[in-house]
Structures are given as structure tokens and as C-alpha cells.
Amino acid sequence: MSHLCPRMFCSKIEQNFKILKELTFIQRWCLANVDDTSADDYYSLVMAAGKSGSCKMLEPFKPPPSKKSRKERNREKLPGSTPTLEVMEQEIWKEFPEDLFEAVIARLPIATFFRFRSVCRKWNSLLDSQSFSQHCAEIPPANPWFYTITHENMNFGAMYDPSTRKWHQPTISFLPSKMIALPVASAGGLVCFLDIGHRNFYVCNPLTQSFKELPARSVKVWSRVAVGMTLNGNSTSGGYKILWVGCDGEYEVYDSVKNSWSRPGSMPSNIKLPLSLNFRSQAVSVGSTLYFMRSDPEGIVSYNMVTGVWKQFIIPGPLQLSDLTLAEYEGRIMLVGLLTKNAATCVCIWELQKMTLLWKEVDRMPNIWCLEFYGKHIRMTCLGNKGMLMLSLRSRQMNRLVTYNVISREWLKVPGCFVPRGRKRQWIACGTAFYPCLTATA
């Protein structure tokens, strides 16, 4: 600005004073934990500044009139309305520190990931940046998402974000053509898939498409198996382990660090065989321990991935409860099931009491929702077990999806899942909950 005279320079300073205040606010905002609303407000601003690695500024605009009609005011209050952007001077933004761009992006809602990758190659390569991974590690874990498979498109998945109540249709290109692979477990942002023939395992990050096919198992068991997955540490950087177990007591453990399967031992004699595993219920993990549900005798079987110790707990299930599924939240073991009496059906939530090893009812679906199920033969599938449950309730005439927040005890209906540019509502077949993580690698 050396070519400007002092008067013009002062005028320029006054014009940019407001913008400088905004810059200071954004720098402070980058270093603090913010909610999703704040991130959405500044997403468009950062996108405009970061395209192609250079800060291409927007054209100046004229300030709106001070008085607005009621119609204009109501339009601004509508969800999804785009706020007006301030003019950002190139001379200011070209000096914006690069590390702050990473801090801003790391704090954006996970759903914006699908958009910011297309801004430029530099932003797309952030996933491989160590500094960006450190920024992401400082952010508290988001609410779990759900990766689901639909009856109409068994080769394609649909992801549901309960925070925004929106579906995402990722392009899953890693699986072999015409192969159906079902999500069976998850840990640290990764989802474990098992093909429908129970032969091959795959691990994938549904957000980034980071993919790995696991080596062949040493034990040739093609019957149905239960699968659990845990992390070796707090993130996938320390590796992960996957356990499969069959009803006959055969089991193996995969270690991602060694990239191999192993047989740590045999099932102890005090555990009754066959296991009669409840395959409708996915395994839940508390720390390094996996819990599986069994039906004869009724109870839970656990396996510690660190010590290699199996345990059995005989726990009678609640009466008149069907379609039982285990769930977990902050170390608490939960039970979800359908309570049927006469022609009435209701979804109930139970919690395992550690002292007595008995189930105690802690919540149930609102009665007004249960009236819809009256007189119908309802089947239920639980698609998640990490503090946020997604329940698929279906009969011949209907298929309802609802979510249940364990901590807030809030029931919400899930909007219909439609294929891109399609009108037909999809029926959810199976799924699993996972914590979305941009830096998790298979």
C-alpha cells in the first residue's frame, strides 16, 4: 500500500477495520472447541478463501437497505438459507497462516468433508498430513454414524448422520463386483465387513475409502460366525484386533500390526458348547473386552483381547421380550428388545445391574408411537450399539427407522432413505454404528 497517500491509506484502514475484527474472531474461534452451528457459519467463508491454494476474493457488494419486508425477514430465518458474505481483502487473507486452515477444517462438521475435498488438491491431501491428524485428535468424538445396507442395493451402502438427520450415499468401490459384504463390527472410525459366504473379511473407512482385505483365515469355518473389533489404543494408529467365534467354540484373532490371524487357545471347559450365539445381536466392546449374547443358557459370553480370557455370565432375559440386542454406553451394558403382550408391542431398554447381574428396565418407546404397531407382527433389528441406537421396526406393511439417544433418552424418527435421484424409499437390511474419523486408516 506504499503508493497510497496518507488520506487514502486511512480511508482504506477504516474500510477494513470490520474485516480485521472478523479475522481476529476467526483466529480465536480456530483455537477453541465450537459446536456444529459455528462451523457451518464459517464453512463458506473458508471455502472462498482456500480455493486453488490462492485467496481469490469475492466481488464487493452493496449493503442491503436498512428496512426489509416481512417476506425477506422470514426467508432469512428458513433453514438452509445462505448468509451474506463479507468482502475479504486479498492483502489480508494471503497472509493467513496455513496451520489455521487445518485447524478450521478439523473443526468443521464431518458432513462437510464430502465438500471440502473438492476445493483443491492441497485440501484433498490433508488426510495424509500429520499436523492435520493432530488437529483432529484434539476434537472430542462426534456422535456415531450408521453404515447400513439396503434390501434393494446390497452392493451399496448408505450412511446416516443423526446430528443433521441426513443420509449420505458414498461410492464404495473397493469391494469385488457382484460380491455382497455385510458390516459386522466397527472401531475407531473403521468398519469391518464379512462377505455373505462368511469367507473373506474387509476393513474400510467409509468416509475416505481407505480399504484393506484381510488375509485368509487359517481355520476353514464357513458356518455363521459372530464378530467383534477393538482398538489397541485410542486410535487406529496403534492398530486394531478382530475376533470371530463360531457356535462350536472355534475362534481366531486378527492383529493389524502383524497382519495375520492367530489362535490364542481353546474355549475353556466351563463354557457350555455349542454357544447358541444370538447372531441378531452384534458384539459390544468395553475397553478391550468383547461381549456376545447367547441363548442356551441365556446370558453373555465375554472375551478379553489383551489377556485372552473367556468368561460366561448366566443372565436370564426379561419375560415376553423378543428380538434381543446388546448395546453399550460408557461401560454400561444395555439390552434392547420388543415387549409383546396380547396385541400390543413396545420397544424397551434395559440395563444390566453389575451387582446382581439382573436386567432393569430404564426406558421404553413412547406409547403413542407403539400404537402404530398394535395388532401387527413386528420384527426389530438394532443397527447400532454405541450410545446412539438405530432401530429398524418392520412388518409386511411397513418399515420404520427410529434412533434412541441413551444419554438424553430421546426417541426420533429417521427420514426415509432414497437412492440418489430416485423416489423409491429403501428398506434397511442391516448395519452398524461407527464413529466417523477422517484420519482412520485400514
Side-chain angles (χ1 to χ4, degrees):
M1 295 185 184
S2 57
H3 61 283
L4 296 177
C5 66
R7 179 175 298 178
M8 294 178 62
F9 182 79
C10 292
S11 176
K12 192 72 173 177
I13 291 297
E14 291 175 359
Q15 292 175 6
N16 290 335
F17 179 72
K18 182 179 179 180
I19 301 175
L20 287 170
K21 289 173 64 179
E22 291 179 356
L23 176 60
T24 305
F25 174 77
I26 294 174
Q27 289 176 327
R28 292 175 181 173
W29 169 78
C30 292
L31 303 177
N33 269 335
V34 298
D35 56 17
D36 290 349
T37 304
S38 299
D40 280 333
D41 292 340
Y42 287 96
Y43 170 74
S44 299
L45 186 64
V46 179
M47 291 279 285
K51 282 195 174 183
S52 304
S54 63
C55 302
K56 185 177 180 180
M57 298 300 107
L58 303 176
E59 292 296 327
F61 69 95
K62 296 181 180 181
S66 57
K67 207 168 185 179
K68 298 181 181 180
S69 65
R70 180 180 299 178
K71 185 177 181 180
E72 290 176 339
R73 293 196 301 267
N74 291 338
R75 188 184 297 116
E76 291 179 355
K77 294 179 181 179
L78 291 176
S81 60
T82 305
T84 305
L85 295 178
E86 292 286 348
V87 182
M88 306 310 295
E89 292 288 342
Q90 183 174 1
E91 295 162 348
I92 297 174
W93 282 96
K94 69 180 181 181
E95 303 296 336
F96 194 81
E98 290 292 329
D99 58 337
L100 287 187
F101 276 118
E102 294 187 0
V104 170
I105 294 174
R107 286 162 172 80
L108 290 176
I110 293 294
T112 61
F113 161 76
F114 301 103
R115 288 177 284 170
F116 84 71
R117 287 192 73 177
S118 61
V119 173
C120 60
R121 292 181 179 179
K122 185 174 183 179
W123 283 26
N124 188 39
S125 64
L126 283 179
L127 298 177
D128 301 323
S129 168
Q130 184 64 30
S131 58
F132 181 67
S133 299
Q134 292 175 355
H135 284 300
C136 291
E138 297 171 359
I139 310 302
N143 286 331
W145 284 24
F146 299 94
Y147 186 93
T148 65
I149 299 293
T150 64
H151 282 286
E152 292 81 359
N153 296 282
M154 295 294 287
N155 295 94
F156 300 95
M159 296 188 298
Y160 180 69
D161 176 9
S163 299
T164 60
R165 303 187 67 189
K166 291 183 179 180
W167 288 95
H168 302 276
Q169 307 282 347
T171 303
I172 305 297
S173 57
F174 58 84
L175 293 175
S177 60
K178 298 183 180 180
M179 173 178 285
I180 298 176
L182 307 179
V184 292
S186 68
L190 300 178
V191 176
C192 176
F193 294 83
L194 176 62
D195 72 78
I196 201 168
H198 310 112
R199 295 173 181 266
N200 301 311
F201 282 88
Y202 307 89
V203 174
C204 169
N205 184 334
L207 296 180
T208 65
Q209 303 294 299
S210 172
F211 163 75
K212 182 178 185 179
E213 180 178 357
L214 304 191
R217 295 180 285 169
S218 59
V219 180
K220 305 300 181 183
V221 178
W222 309 134
S223 59
R224 198 169 185 181
V225 296
V227 182
M229 185 176 182
T230 62
L231 296 177
N232 293 339
N234 296 325
S235 67
T236 57
S237 59
Y240 55 87
K241 292 179 181 177
I242 297 174
L243 166 74
W244 69 261
V245 56
C247 289
D248 57 358
E250 291 280 359
Y251 70 97
E252 276 188 306
V253 176
Y254 171 80
D255 190 337
S256 65
V257 176
K258 301 177 182 178
N259 192 30
S260 63
W261 294 93
S262 63
R263 300 183 64 185
S266 58
M267 193 75 65
S269 58
N270 65 316
I271 296 182
K272 181 182 177 181
L273 297 177
L275 287 177
S276 302
L277 294 169
N278 179 2
F279 293 107
R280 297 181 62 86
S281 173
Q282 292 185 358
V284 299
S285 61
V286 179
S288 59
T289 302
L290 292 171
Y291 295 87
F292 301 87
M293 198 169 188
R294 65 176 303 172
S295 57
D296 184 22
E298 286 186 311
I300 295 175
V301 177
S302 70
Y303 179 77
N304 189 299
M305 296 286 248
V306 175
T307 63
V309 175
W310 285 94
K311 292 183 180 180
Q312 178 178 256
F313 305 91
I314 308 300
I315 309 172
L319 299 177
Q320 300 176 321
L321 207 61
S322 61
D323 293 353
L324 304 179
T325 304
L326 285 181
E328 178 273 336
Y329 178 70
E330 293 188 347
R332 297 153 52 194
I333 303 297
M334 319 290 290
L335 183 68
V336 188
L338 284 177
L339 180 63
T340 303
K341 189 174 183 180
N342 298 328
T345 301
C346 185
V347 180
C348 293
I349 311 294
W350 302 69
E351 182 178 345
L352 182 62
Q353 307 301 297
K354 295 182 179 180
M355 296 297 294
T356 61
L357 287 183
L358 295 175
W359 295 108
K360 177 184 177 181
E361 183 178 343
V362 293
D363 202 1
R364 62 172 57 191
M365 181 179 285
N367 290 333
I368 192 171
W369 287 20
C370 299
L371 290 176
E372 186 180 6
F373 311 141
Y374 189 85
K376 295 184 176 71
H377 179 64
I378 303 295
R379 299 304 304 269
M380 184 190 75
T381 302
C382 183
L383 307 181
N385 52 35
K386 301 181 182 301
M388 179 73 73
L389 311 180
M390 177 186 280
L391 307 177
S392 173
L393 300 156
R394 62 196 183 278
S395 67
R396 289 184 178 181
Q397 301 84 13
M398 56 165 247
N399 182 17
R400 297 289 182 266
L401 291 176
V402 300
T403 57
Y404 175 73
N405 190 312
V406 175
I407 186 170
S408 64
R409 297 188 176 184
E410 182 181 22
W411 300 83
L412 290 174
K413 293 184 179 181
V414 176
C417 177
F418 298 88
V419 295
R421 297 176 297 279
R423 296 183 178 181
K424 185 178 179 181
R425 183 178 182 138
Q426 304 294 290
W427 282 47
I428 303 300
C430 62
T432 188
F434 73 100
Y435 286 104
C437 180
L438 299 178
T439 57
T441 56

